[in-house]
Amino acid sequence: MSRGPFVTPKLALVMVGLPARGKTYTAQKLSRYLAWLGHRTRIFNLGEYRRAKLGPSAPNEFFNPDNPEGRRVRLELAMAAIDDVCAWFGKEGDVAILDATNSSRERRQFVQARFDSEGIQVLFVEVLCDDSEMIEANIRQTKLASPDYAGIDADEAVRDFRARIAHYERVYEAIGEDEASYIKLVDVGRQVVVNRVDSHLGGRLVSFLMKLHINPRPILLTRHGESEFNIRALIGGDPPLSALGRGYGRALGDYLREEFDGEDSPEIWTSALERTGETASFFSDDTVVLRQLDEIDAGICDGLSYEEIAARMPLEFGARARDKLRYRYPRGESYVDVINRLEPVIVELERQRRPVVVVAHQAVIRALYAYFRELPREACPHQSIPLHTVIKLTPGPYGCAEERIDLIEQARNRAN
Amino acid sequence: MSRGPFVTPKLALVMVGLPARGKTYTAQKLSRYLAWLGHRTRIFNLGEYRRAKLGPSAPNEFFNPDNPEGRRVRLELAMAAIDDVCAWFGKEGDVAILDATNSSRERRQFVQARFDSEGIQVLFVEVLCDDSEMIEANIRQTKLASPDYAGIDADEAVRDFRARIAHYERVYEAIGEDEASYIKLVDVGRQVVVNRVDSHLGGRLVSFLMKLHINPRPILLTRHGESEFNIRALIGGDPPLSALGRGYGRALGDYLREEFDGEDSPEIWTSALERTGETASFFSDDTVVLRQLDEIDAGICDGLSYEEIAARMPLEFGARARDKLRYRYPRGESYVDVINRLEPVIVELERQRRPVVVVAHQAVIRALYAYFRELPREACPHQSIPLHTVIKLTPGPYGCAEERIDLIEQARNRAN
């Protein structure tokens, strides 16, 4: 594919917003999503440029718009970051995320003009929030852990950070609708304003950003229980569970009933294949069946063992070993194909406020896991996702906590 | 699937906007999209209620907010329409679109309260447009053809319609962000404001509405040329073209070069299968390859003829004959599955401003064709989409013009 609607031109996502509004959080979410989809994405954080030049801490006076030296240095730092973005696009980059306040119209015009001259599309992403509780929580949770305030008393740090915000507030100009292409996020997804966004990727980013929220809830990933094909080491097919696999279904049900007793009952999502529905059935029949969760389609290799593939189709076997991410089974799918068809599932998982249990298959769980754990794409097909194990992920503001619950013993005890 | 994120609750889409802003156009686009995706959707147009009660024409005085009788009758009509919406939800409806001005906050509160009391989700869709040329064009192109002005002199009708708009403008209140869940469309997709929209379907509607434009451009649909499997009446597979099929590739190339000579060169989209790429290759190698355009997956029936399926799997054959839309080949797909995977392609086709030529397969072309021609879903699998024929669709403000270009003779002449 040489070009076309689904191909992304060089795109600079330029964050806009006062400090502690969630710019960095949003930038990191965007970066993870875009990288998972295969766009070479990098965040350029202006705070890091400042720290590299001036050392770890800068007093709030540095951010005072009446301080001419501070203004000059801040402009120089922005120019250095933009230079780096342009150089990176020249080498390999698809999407750059410029994480800075960009709080004046003048600064944004400067950024826009520079990227325009390099033939780079610009999309501003403004993060607005007037909820003082949310801002306070953000300051306490994230800014105090910032290198800017290492070794400084917490209350003193909060005071200084509030003064820094006040400097910005004096000159802050929200993006006007005549200004540019932008997505404006108001109060974490309550309102989204989309202005002059007319690209395929822009539309996807809007859908994605609309769904983000910061309410904590776990996402549980598991493969189906052992199937009749697992026993015979065959791939694909639509086999039923083995006796041990049914034991895992029961053990999983026991675990989920204990984990979610009462009100906060989880959604159960399964693939359309028999072995995932059967695994979930020991907990609930009230499941959501999604074909997007079906195992990677092995095409002409479906129903064979890896040994048979190696013996009968050594060239295919070798090609897959060389590039497991991009290798596409003849008449079937690659991991990249699986990732692409899972995109709506990821967006839905971001949106859900209830716990979700996903009962699916090895390649599918690998792809979902790679998203939440921010793994490089190349690592995705090589993750260990053992049978009879629940992977509990708890997304937090920066990254995703992981716990693995090994139910192998319980599955054996509950087998019949 | 009993519930879950991808399932739609009863949803009322309530249009808001001054006359001649494109509400009915937007409502029809939404209706077509939703119906194609399988939601039982109906538009309730308040103008039709008025005409049913008061006869075809109503003088602009009827719409004067200072006219108490007009106000009373208009409220009664709105109540009757909402009653019908509720009755329809009770019977079979998934999504109702209430096509009316709903121009005051008071009226919207009334509508919201009524639907709330019935447990129906409400999403307002406000259409704003300040472009006087666009409004004038809309009045001339659509309002003069309305039954309201049948047999009335055009200039007189425009004068009256402008007076009607003026009545509404005096009292129009745009939706405020404290009011409700809404999507606000400003100047045909230039700006979209999304407020408190947190459902899966809401997100899809936003993506879809963002892409709409009214610039005319053709969309050309064609199957690949005859393949080696077509000759042997086998389904599926990944065969190359026959000599006649290559003749069609050349004939299609000739036709496209003549149709689009010079500047307005079309995008060519093909499936990932050999026969579509080969067909397109006689015109251009610069194609967009989309796996979503691959032929319906016939699962275990792939590579068989219909006669073989009937002989070997009579139960499957009978089940397919009974419900070709929903029948899913074992380990394969149904037409409904094909429609769902084509959804991003439809959204991209709506967005494209250049002509697009889609070279794909029978079931896929049927599904795309059903969308553009607003066919009932049940009719989709039964459309005649002959080989060696181009279907040229030209979307207009109300419906889609169709032309079929038969290249059967040319394909024969160019075969070798």
Coordinates of all heavy atoms in Angstrom, one line a residue, chain A residues 1-6 177 182 190-200 207 237 267 269 286 288-291 302 328 331-333 337 348 351-353, chain B residues 1-6 177 182 190-200 207 210 237 267 269 286 288-291 302 328 331-333 337 348 351-353:
Chain A
M1 N 0.9 -1.2 0.0 CA 0.0 0.0 0.0 C 0.9 1.2 0.0 O 1.7 1.4 0.9 CB -0.9 0.0 1.3 CG -1.9 1.0 1.2 SD -2.7 1.2 2.9 CE -3.2 -0.4 3.3
S2 N 0.7 2.1 -1.0 CA 1.6 3.2 -1.1 C 1.1 4.5 -0.5 O 1.9 5.3 -0.1 CB 1.9 3.4 -2.6 OG 0.6 3.7 -3.2
R3 N -0.2 4.6 -0.4 CA -0.7 5.9 0.1 C -2.2 5.6 0.4 O -2.6 4.4 0.5 CB -0.6 7.0 -1.0 CG -1.4 6.6 -2.2 CD -1.3 7.6 -3.3 NE -1.8 7.0 -4.5 CZ -3.1 7.0 -4.8 NH1 -4.0 7.4 -4.0 NH2 -3.5 6.4 -5.9
G4 N -3.0 6.6 0.5 CA -4.4 6.3 0.6 C -4.9 6.8 2.0 O -4.2 7.3 2.8
P5 N -6.2 6.5 2.2 CA -6.9 7.2 3.3 C -6.5 6.7 4.6 O -6.6 7.4 5.6 CB -8.4 6.8 3.1 CG -8.3 5.5 2.3 CD -7.1 5.6 1.4
F6 N -6.0 5.5 4.7 CA -5.7 4.9 6.0 C -4.2 5.1 6.4 O -3.8 4.7 7.4 CB -6.0 3.4 6.1 CG -7.5 3.2 5.8 CD1 -8.0 2.9 4.5 CD2 -8.4 3.3 6.8 CE1 -9.3 2.6 4.3 CE2 -9.8 3.0 6.6 CZ -10.2 2.7 5.3
E177 N -11.5 29.4 17.4 CA -11.8 28.5 16.4 C -11.3 28.9 15.0 O -11.3 28.1 14.1 CB -13.3 28.2 16.3 CG -14.2 29.4 16.1 CD -15.7 29.0 16.1 OE1 -16.1 28.6 17.2 OE2 -16.3 29.0 15.0
Y182 N -7.9 21.6 15.7 CA -7.7 21.2 17.1 C -8.7 20.3 17.6 O -9.8 20.1 17.1 CB -7.6 22.4 18.0 CG -8.8 23.3 18.1 CD1 -9.9 22.9 18.9 CD2 -8.9 24.5 17.4 CE1 -11.1 23.7 19.0 CE2 -10.0 25.3 17.5 CZ -11.1 24.9 18.3 OH -12.2 25.7 18.4
R190 N -15.8 15.1 29.3 CA -17.2 15.6 29.4 C -17.6 16.2 28.1 O -18.7 16.0 27.5 CB -17.4 16.6 30.6 CG -18.8 17.1 30.6 CD -19.0 18.1 31.8 NE -18.2 19.3 31.6 CZ -18.6 20.3 30.7 NH1 -19.7 20.2 30.0 NH2 -17.8 21.4 30.6
Q191 N -16.7 17.1 27.6 CA -17.0 17.7 26.3 C -15.7 17.6 25.4 O -14.6 17.8 25.9 CB -17.4 19.2 26.5 CG -17.8 19.8 25.2 CD -18.4 21.3 25.4 OE1 -17.6 22.2 25.3 NE2 -19.6 21.4 25.7
V192 N -16.0 17.4 24.2 CA -14.9 17.4 23.2 C -15.3 18.3 22.0 O -16.4 18.2 21.5 CB -14.7 16.0 22.6 CG1 -13.6 15.9 21.6 CG2 -14.4 15.0 23.8
V193 N -14.4 19.2 21.7 CA -14.7 20.1 20.5 C -13.7 19.8 19.5 O -12.5 19.7 19.7 CB -14.5 21.6 20.9 CG1 -14.9 22.5 19.8 CG2 -15.4 21.9 22.1
V194 N -14.2 19.6 18.3 CA -13.3 19.1 17.2 C -13.4 20.2 16.1 O -14.5 20.4 15.6 CB -13.8 17.8 16.6 CG1 -12.8 17.3 15.6 CG2 -13.9 16.8 17.8
N195 N -12.3 20.8 15.8 CA -12.3 21.9 14.8 C -11.4 21.6 13.6 O -10.2 21.4 13.8 CB -11.9 23.2 15.5 CG -12.2 24.4 14.7 OD1 -13.4 24.7 14.4 ND2 -11.2 25.1 14.2
R196 N -12.0 21.6 12.4 CA -11.2 21.4 11.2 C -10.3 20.1 11.3 O -9.1 20.2 11.0 CB -10.3 22.6 10.9 CG -11.1 23.8 10.6 CD -10.2 25.0 10.1 NE -10.9 26.2 10.2 CZ -11.8 26.6 9.3 NH1 -12.2 25.9 8.3 NH2 -12.4 27.8 9.4
V197 N -10.9 19.0 11.7 CA -10.2 17.8 11.8 C -10.8 16.9 10.7 O -11.9 16.5 10.8 CB -10.3 17.1 13.1 CG1 -9.6 15.7 13.1 CG2 -9.6 17.9 14.2
D198 N -10.0 16.6 9.6 CA -10.6 15.9 8.5 C -9.7 14.8 8.0 O -9.7 14.4 6.8 CB -10.8 17.0 7.4 CG -11.4 16.4 6.2 OD1 -12.3 15.5 6.3 OD2 -11.1 16.7 5.0
S199 N -9.0 14.2 8.9 CA -8.2 13.0 8.4 C -8.7 11.8 9.1 O -9.4 11.8 10.1 CB -6.7 13.2 8.8 OG -6.6 13.2 10.2
H200 N -8.4 10.6 8.5 CA -8.8 9.4 9.1 C -8.3 9.2 10.5 O -9.0 8.9 11.4 CB -8.3 8.2 8.2 CG -8.5 6.9 8.8 ND1 -9.8 6.3 8.8 CD2 -7.7 6.0 9.4 CE1 -9.7 5.2 9.4 NE2 -8.5 4.9 9.7
S207 N -12.4 9.7 18.6 CA -13.1 8.6 19.2 C -12.4 8.1 20.4 O -13.0 7.8 21.4 CB -13.2 7.4 18.2 OG -14.0 7.8 17.1
G237 N -8.8 -24.1 14.8 CA -10.0 -25.0 15.0 C -11.0 -24.4 15.9 O -10.9 -23.2 16.3
E267 N -18.4 -7.3 33.5 CA -18.8 -7.8 32.2 C -17.9 -8.9 31.8 O -16.7 -8.9 32.0 CB -18.5 -6.6 31.2 CG -19.3 -5.4 31.4 CD -20.3 -5.2 30.3 OE1 -20.4 -6.0 29.4 OE2 -21.1 -4.3 30.4
W269 N -16.5 -10.7 28.4 CA -16.4 -10.7 26.9 C -15.7 -12.0 26.5 O -14.6 -12.3 27.0 CB -15.6 -9.5 26.5 CG -16.2 -8.2 26.8 CD1 -17.4 -7.9 27.6 CD2 -15.7 -6.9 26.4 NE1 -17.6 -6.5 27.7 CE2 -16.6 -5.9 27.0 CE3 -14.6 -6.5 25.7 CZ2 -16.4 -4.5 26.8 CZ3 -14.4 -5.1 25.5 CH2 -15.3 -4.1 26.1
D286 N -24.3 -14.8 30.8 CA -24.7 -13.4 30.4 C -23.4 -12.8 29.9 O -22.8 -11.9 30.5 CB -25.2 -12.7 31.6 CG -25.8 -11.3 31.1 OD1 -26.0 -11.1 29.9 OD2 -26.1 -10.5 32.0
V288 N -20.8 -11.2 26.6 CA -20.8 -10.4 25.3 C -19.9 -11.2 24.4 O -18.7 -11.4 24.7 CB -20.2 -9.0 25.6 CG1 -20.1 -8.2 24.3 CG2 -21.1 -8.3 26.6
V289 N -20.4 -11.6 23.2 CA -19.6 -12.4 22.3 C -19.1 -11.5 21.2 O -19.9 -10.8 20.5 CB -20.5 -13.5 21.7 CG1 -19.7 -14.3 20.7 CG2 -21.1 -14.4 22.8
L290 N -17.8 -11.4 21.0 CA -17.2 -10.5 20.1 C -16.3 -11.3 19.1 O -15.3 -11.9 19.5 CB -16.3 -9.5 20.8 CG -17.1 -8.6 21.7 CD1 -16.1 -7.7 22.5 CD2 -18.1 -7.7 21.0
R291 N -16.6 -11.3 17.8 CA -15.8 -12.0 16.9 C -14.4 -11.4 16.8 O -13.4 -12.1 16.4 CB -16.4 -11.9 15.5 CG -17.5 -13.0 15.3 CD -18.3 -12.7 14.0 NE -17.4 -12.8 12.8 CZ -17.0 -14.0 12.3 NH1 -17.5 -15.1 12.7 NH2 -16.3 -14.0 11.2
D302 N -4.5 -23.8 9.6 CA -5.5 -24.1 10.7 C -5.6 -25.6 10.9 O -5.8 -26.4 9.9 CB -6.8 -23.5 10.3 CG -7.9 -23.6 11.4 OD1 -7.9 -22.8 12.3 OD2 -8.6 -24.6 11.4
R328 N 2.1 -13.2 7.8 CA 0.6 -13.5 7.6 C 0.5 -14.9 7.1 O 1.0 -15.2 6.1 CB 0.0 -12.4 6.7 CG -1.5 -12.7 6.4 CD -2.0 -11.6 5.4 NE -2.2 -10.3 6.1 CZ -2.4 -9.2 5.4 NH1 -2.4 -9.2 4.0 NH2 -2.6 -8.1 6.0
R331 N -3.8 -17.1 3.4 CA -5.3 -17.0 3.6 C -5.7 -16.7 5.0 O -6.8 -16.9 5.4 CB -6.0 -18.3 3.2 CG -5.6 -18.9 1.8 CD -6.1 -18.1 0.6 NE -7.5 -17.6 0.9 CZ -8.6 -18.4 0.7 NH1 -8.5 -19.6 0.3 NH2 -9.8 -17.9 0.9
G332 N -4.8 -16.3 5.9 CA -5.1 -16.0 7.3 C -4.6 -14.7 7.7 O -4.5 -13.7 6.9
E333 N -4.2 -14.5 8.9 CA -3.9 -13.2 9.5 C -2.5 -13.2 10.1 O -1.9 -14.2 10.3 CB -4.8 -12.9 10.7 CG -6.3 -12.7 10.3 CD -7.1 -12.4 11.5 OE1 -7.1 -13.2 12.4 OE2 -7.7 -11.3 11.6
D337 N -2.5 -7.8 11.7 CA -4.0 -7.8 11.4 C -4.8 -8.0 12.7 O -5.9 -7.3 12.8 CB -4.3 -9.1 10.5 CG -3.6 -8.9 9.1 OD1 -3.5 -7.8 8.7 OD2 -3.3 -10.0 8.5
E348 N -13.2 0.4 23.4 CA -14.3 0.0 24.4 C -13.8 -0.3 25.8 O -14.4 0.1 26.8 CB -15.1 -1.2 23.8 CG -16.2 -0.8 22.9 CD -17.1 0.3 23.5 OE1 -17.7 0.1 24.6 OE2 -17.3 1.3 22.9
R351 N -13.3 2.8 27.5 CA -14.5 3.5 27.9 C -15.2 2.9 29.1 O -15.8 3.6 29.9 CB -15.5 3.4 26.7 CG -16.8 4.2 26.9 CD -17.6 4.2 25.7 NE -18.3 3.0 25.5 CZ -19.5 2.6 26.1 NH1 -20.0 3.4 27.0 NH2 -20.0 1.5 25.8
Q352 N -15.1 1.6 29.3 CA -15.8 0.9 30.3 C -15.5 1.4 31.7 O -14.3 1.6 32.0 CB -15.5 -0.6 30.3 CG -16.1 -1.4 29.1 CD -17.6 -1.4 29.3 OE1 -18.1 -1.7 30.4 NE2 -18.3 -1.1 28.2
R353 N -16.5 1.5 32.5 CA -16.3 1.9 33.9 C -16.5 0.8 34.8 O -16.1 0.8 36.0 CB -17.3 3.1 34.3 CG -16.8 4.4 33.7 CD -17.9 5.4 33.4 NE -17.3 6.4 32.5 CZ -16.8 7.6 32.9 NH1 -16.8 7.8 34.2 NH2 -16.4 8.5 32.1
Chain B
M1 N -25.6 -12.8 22.4 CA -25.1 -11.7 23.1 C -26.3 -10.9 23.8 O -27.3 -10.5 23.1 CB -24.5 -10.7 22.2 CG -23.7 -9.6 22.9 SD -23.2 -8.3 21.7 CE -22.4 -9.3 20.5
S2 N -26.3 -10.9 25.1 CA -27.5 -10.4 25.8 C -27.4 -8.9 26.0 O -28.4 -8.2 26.2 CB -27.7 -11.1 27.1 OG -26.5 -10.9 27.8
R3 N -26.3 -8.3 26.2 CA -26.1 -6.9 26.5 C -24.7 -6.6 26.2 O -24.0 -7.3 25.5 CB -26.4 -6.8 28.0 CG -25.5 -7.5 28.9 CD -25.7 -7.4 30.3 NE -25.0 -8.4 31.0 CZ -23.7 -8.3 31.4 NH1 -23.1 -7.2 31.1 NH2 -23.0 -9.3 31.9
G4 N -24.2 -5.5 26.8 CA -22.8 -5.2 26.7 C -22.5 -4.0 25.9 O -23.5 -3.3 25.5
P5 N -21.3 -3.7 25.7 CA -20.9 -2.3 25.3 C -21.3 -2.1 23.9 O -21.5 -0.9 23.5 CB -19.4 -2.4 25.4 CG -19.0 -3.8 25.3 CD -20.1 -4.5 25.9
F6 N -21.4 -3.1 23.0 CA -21.6 -2.8 21.6 C -23.1 -2.9 21.3 O -23.6 -2.8 20.2 CB -20.9 -3.8 20.8 CG -19.4 -3.8 21.0 CD1 -18.7 -4.6 21.8 CD2 -18.6 -2.8 20.3 CE1 -17.4 -4.5 22.0 CE2 -17.3 -2.7 20.5 CZ -16.6 -3.6 21.4
E177 N -24.2 24.1 27.2 CA -23.5 22.8 27.6 C -24.0 22.2 28.9 O -23.7 21.1 29.2 CB -22.0 23.1 27.6 CG -21.5 24.0 28.6 CD -20.0 24.1 28.5 OE1 -19.5 24.6 27.4 OE2 -19.3 23.7 29.4
Y182 N -25.2 16.1 23.8 CA -25.5 16.5 22.4 C -24.2 16.4 21.5 O -23.1 16.4 22.0 CB -26.0 18.0 22.4 CG -25.1 19.0 22.9 CD1 -24.0 19.5 22.2 CD2 -25.3 19.6 24.2 CE1 -23.1 20.5 22.7 CE2 -24.4 20.6 24.7 CZ -23.4 21.0 23.9 OH -22.5 22.0 24.4
R190 N -17.1 21.4 9.7 CA -15.9 22.2 10.1 C -15.6 22.0 11.6 O -14.5 21.9 12.0 CB -16.2 23.7 9.8 CG -15.0 24.5 10.1 CD -15.2 26.0 9.8 NE -16.2 26.6 10.6 CZ -16.1 27.0 11.9 NH1 -15.0 26.7 12.6 NH2 -17.2 27.5 12.6
Q191 N -16.7 22.1 12.4 CA -16.5 22.0 13.8 C -17.6 21.0 14.3 O -18.7 21.1 13.9 CB -16.6 23.3 14.5 CG -16.2 23.2 16.0 CD -16.1 24.5 16.7 OE1 -17.1 25.0 17.3 NE2 -14.9 25.1 16.7
V192 N -17.1 20.2 15.3 CA -18.1 19.3 15.9 C -17.8 19.4 17.4 O -16.7 19.4 17.9 CB -17.8 17.8 15.5 CG1 -18.8 16.9 16.2 CG2 -17.9 17.7 14.0
V193 N -18.9 19.7 18.2 CA -18.8 19.8 19.6 C -19.6 18.6 20.2 O -20.7 18.3 19.8 CB -19.4 21.1 20.2 CG1 -19.2 21.2 21.7 CG2 -18.8 22.3 19.5
V194 N -18.9 17.8 21.1 CA -19.5 16.6 21.6 C -19.6 16.8 23.1 O -18.6 17.0 23.8 CB -18.6 15.4 21.3 CG1 -19.3 14.1 21.8 CG2 -18.3 15.3 19.8
N195 N -20.8 16.8 23.7 CA -21.0 17.1 25.1 C -21.7 15.9 25.8 O -22.8 15.5 25.4 CB -21.9 18.3 25.2 CG -21.8 18.9 26.7 OD1 -20.7 19.3 27.1 ND2 -23.0 18.9 27.3
R196 N -21.0 15.3 26.8 CA -21.6 14.2 27.6 C -22.1 13.1 26.7 O -23.2 12.6 26.8 CB -22.8 14.7 28.4 CG -22.4 15.8 29.4 CD -23.5 16.0 30.5 NE -23.2 17.2 31.2 CZ -22.4 17.3 32.3 NH1 -21.7 16.2 32.6 NH2 -22.2 18.4 32.9
V197 N -21.3 12.7 25.7 CA -21.6 11.5 24.9 C -20.7 10.4 25.3 O -19.5 10.5 25.2 CB -21.5 11.8 23.4 CG1 -21.7 10.6 22.6 CG2 -22.4 12.9 23.0
D198 N -21.3 9.4 25.9 CA -20.4 8.4 26.5 C -20.8 7.0 26.2 O -20.6 6.0 26.9 CB -20.4 8.6 28.1 CG -19.5 7.6 28.7 OD1 -18.4 7.2 28.2 OD2 -19.8 7.1 29.8
S199 N -21.5 6.8 25.0 CA -21.9 5.4 24.6 C -21.0 5.0 23.4 O -20.5 5.8 22.7 CB -23.3 5.4 24.3 OG -23.6 6.2 23.1
H200 N -21.0 3.7 23.2 CA -20.3 3.2 22.0 C -20.9 3.8 20.8 O -20.2 4.3 19.9 CB -20.4 1.7 22.0 CG -19.8 1.1 20.8 ND1 -18.5 1.0 20.5 CD2 -20.4 0.5 19.7 CE1 -18.2 0.5 19.4 NE2 -19.4 0.1 18.9
S207 N -17.9 10.0 14.9 CA -16.9 9.7 13.8 C -17.5 9.9 12.5 O -16.9 10.4 11.6 CB -16.3 8.3 14.0 OG -15.6 8.1 15.1
M210 N -18.5 13.6 11.7 CA -17.3 14.4 11.4 C -16.9 14.4 9.9 O -16.3 15.3 9.4 CB -16.1 13.9 12.2 CG -16.0 14.4 13.6 SD -14.6 13.6 14.4 CE -13.2 14.2 13.4
G237 N -11.3 -18.9 -2.2 CA -10.0 -19.1 -2.7 C -9.3 -17.8 -3.0 O -9.8 -16.8 -2.7
E267 N -8.7 7.5 -6.5 CA -8.1 6.5 -5.7 C -8.6 5.1 -6.1 O -9.7 5.0 -6.4 CB -8.5 6.7 -4.2 CG -8.1 8.0 -3.6 CD -7.1 7.8 -2.5 OE1 -6.8 6.6 -2.2 OE2 -6.7 8.8 -1.9
W269 N -9.0 1.4 -4.6 CA -9.0 0.5 -3.4 C -9.3 -0.9 -3.8 O -10.3 -1.2 -4.5 CB -10.0 1.0 -2.4 CG -9.9 2.3 -1.8 CD1 -8.9 3.3 -2.1 CD2 -10.7 3.0 -0.8 NE1 -9.1 4.4 -1.4 CE2 -10.2 4.3 -0.6 CE3 -11.8 2.5 -0.1 CZ2 -10.8 5.1 0.3 CZ3 -12.4 3.4 0.8 CH2 -11.9 4.7 1.0
D286 N -0.6 1.9 -8.1 CA -0.7 2.8 -6.9 C -2.0 2.6 -6.2 O -2.9 3.5 -6.3 CB -0.4 4.2 -7.4 CG -0.2 5.1 -6.2 OD1 0.0 4.6 -5.1 OD2 -0.3 6.3 -6.4
V288 N -4.6 1.2 -2.9 CA -4.8 1.0 -1.5 C -5.3 -0.4 -1.3 O -6.4 -0.7 -1.8 CB -5.7 2.1 -0.9 CG1 -5.9 1.9 0.6 CG2 -5.2 3.5 -1.3
V289 N -4.6 -1.2 -0.6 CA -5.0 -2.6 -0.3 C -5.7 -2.7 1.1 O -5.1 -2.4 2.1 CB -3.8 -3.5 -0.4 CG1 -4.2 -5.0 -0.2 CG2 -3.1 -3.4 -1.8
L290 N -6.9 -3.1 1.1 CA -7.7 -3.2 2.3 C -8.2 -4.6 2.5 O -9.0 -5.0 1.7 CB -8.9 -2.2 2.3 CG -8.5 -0.7 2.1 CD1 -9.7 0.1 1.9 CD2 -7.7 -0.2 3.3
R291 N -7.8 -5.2 3.6 CA -8.3 -6.5 3.9 C -9.8 -6.5 4.2 O -10.5 -7.5 4.0 CB -7.6 -7.1 5.1 CG -6.2 -7.7 4.8 CD -5.5 -8.1 6.1 NE -6.2 -9.0 6.9 CZ -6.2 -10.4 6.6 NH1 -5.5 -10.8 5.6 NH2 -6.8 -11.2 7.4
D302 N -15.1 -22.9 1.7 CA -14.2 -22.3 0.8 C -13.6 -23.3 -0.2 O -13.1 -24.3 0.1 CB -13.0 -21.6 1.6 CG -12.1 -20.8 0.7 OD1 -12.4 -19.6 0.5 OD2 -11.1 -21.3 0.2
R328 N -24.2 -17.7 8.8 CA -22.8 -17.7 8.9 C -22.2 -19.0 8.5 O -22.5 -20.0 9.1 CB -22.4 -17.3 10.3 CG -20.9 -17.2 10.5 CD -20.5 -16.8 12.0 NE -20.8 -15.4 12.3 CZ -20.9 -14.9 13.5 NH1 -20.8 -15.7 14.6 NH2 -21.1 -13.6 13.7
R331 N -17.1 -21.6 10.6 CA -15.7 -21.1 10.6 C -15.6 -19.9 9.7 O -14.4 -19.5 9.4 CB -14.7 -22.1 10.3 CG -14.8 -23.5 11.0 CD -14.3 -23.4 12.5 NE -13.2 -22.5 12.7 CZ -12.0 -22.8 12.6 NH1 -11.6 -24.1 12.2 NH2 -11.0 -22.0 12.8
G332 N -16.6 -19.4 9.1 CA -16.5 -18.2 8.2 C -17.4 -17.1 8.6 O -17.7 -16.9 9.8
E333 N -17.9 -16.4 7.7 CA -18.7 -15.1 7.9 C -20.1 -15.2 7.4 O -20.4 -15.9 6.5 CB -18.0 -14.0 7.3 CG -16.6 -13.5 7.9 CD -16.0 -12.4 7.1 OE1 -15.8 -12.5 5.9 OE2 -15.8 -11.4 7.8
D337 N -21.7 -10.1 9.2 CA -20.3 -9.9 9.6 C -19.6 -9.0 8.6 O -18.7 -8.2 8.9 CB -19.6 -11.3 9.6 CG -20.1 -12.2 10.7 OD1 -20.5 -11.6 11.8 OD2 -20.1 -13.4 10.6
E348 N -14.9 6.0 5.6 CA -13.8 6.6 4.8 C -14.3 7.0 3.4 O -13.9 8.1 2.9 CB -12.7 5.6 4.6 CG -11.6 5.7 5.7 CD -11.1 7.1 5.9 OE1 -10.6 7.7 4.9 OE2 -11.2 7.5 7.0
R351 N -15.9 10.3 3.8 CA -14.9 11.4 4.0 C -14.2 11.8 2.7 O -13.9 13.0 2.5 CB -13.9 10.9 5.0 CG -12.9 12.0 5.4 CD -12.0 11.5 6.5 NE -10.9 10.6 6.0 CZ -9.8 11.0 5.4 NH1 -9.6 12.3 5.2 NH2 -8.9 10.1 5.0
Q352 N -14.0 10.8 1.8 CA -13.2 11.1 0.6 C -13.7 12.2 -0.2 O -14.9 12.3 -0.5 CB -13.1 9.9 -0.3 CG -12.1 8.8 0.3 CD -10.7 9.3 0.3 OE1 -10.2 9.8 -0.7 NE2 -10.0 9.1 1.4
R353 N -12.9 13.1 -0.7 CA -13.3 14.2 -1.6 C -12.9 13.9 -3.0 O -13.4 14.5 -4.0 CB -12.8 15.5 -1.1 CG -13.6 16.1 0.0 CD -12.8 16.9 1.0 NE -13.5 17.0 2.3 CZ -14.3 18.0 2.5 NH1 -14.5 19.0 1.7 NH2 -14.9 18.1 3.7

